[in-house]
Amino acid sequence: MRRGPKGLLDLDTGRVAAAREAGERWDAWQVFAAGFPPSLPYAHFARRAAEGPGYTQDQVLADFGAQPLIRALDQDPSLEERFTWDPVPWFGEDRAAFVERAEADVLPTFALLTLDGRWLDGSSHLANVRFNAYVDGLPWSTLLVRVMYHS
């Protein structure tokens, strides 16, 4: 458990580091991806399979994996680890949105109990934005407690 008055806690160092790393990753992706023809996301192929019979899961995987960019990632585990196995939707937003998403993910946990007793879900980007706005808006003297629980 971590706790302390908000004014004494460093809530920004992690956010700044995440934003810097996300910006660097986004830039590196742009340079890497520029060397290949545009690719389609896995969801494109999965939708085709869901729309009707005749397009199997094996074909989904084969067609998705046959794209030069995806093939290059698949052949280099370090690239796949850095850029994910399905990078098109991940890096599809602009740089500012990508960085903001990474920054917003630093502090939130699965749920937030507000001072007025409400539980706020923490399972989406929008929830993370609300979490950060709520915490940032609290007075400096507010005691923040973060509980990590594993069963």
Side-chain angles (χ1 to χ4, degrees), residues 34-147:
F36 297 91
S39 293
L40 296 168
Y42 176 83
H44 167 81
F45 301 96
R47 253 191 318 278
R48 281 182 53 198
E51 289 172 355
Y55 191 63
T56 67
Q57 182 62 30
D58 288 341
Q59 288 172 305
V60 168
L61 292 172
D63 291 349
F64 173 72
Q67 300 177 99
L69 176 65
I70 303 304
R71 198 170 47 244
L73 291 174
D74 191 42
Q75 293 171 354
D76 187 338
S78 66
L79 287 173
E80 183 177 330
E81 182 179 322
R82 184 166 191 203
F83 298 132
T84 80
W85 68 276
D86 186 15
V88 174
W90 186 252
F91 292 97
E93 56 196 353
D94 67 29
R95 187 181 196 278
F98 186 82
V99 168
E100 189 273 330
R101 182 178 298 276
E103 187 178 23
D105 287 349
V106 172
L107 294 180
T109 57
F110 181 72
L112 170 69
L113 177 60
T114 66
L115 294 175
D116 61 1
R118 293 176 296 131
W119 283 100
L120 302 179
D121 178 21
S123 60
S124 70
H125 175 64
L126 183 57
N128 290 346
V129 170
R130 283 195 308 264
F131 179 106
N132 282 287
Y134 179 79
V135 169
D136 290 344
L138 292 171
W140 284 74
S141 61
T142 304
L143 184 64
L144 298 179
V145 179
R146 182 178 203 162
V147 178

Side-chain angles (χ1 to χ4, degrees), residues 5-6 30 37 53-54 94 102 134 148:
K6 177 186 160 189
Q30 300 308 313
D94 67 29
Y134 179 79
M148 301 299 277

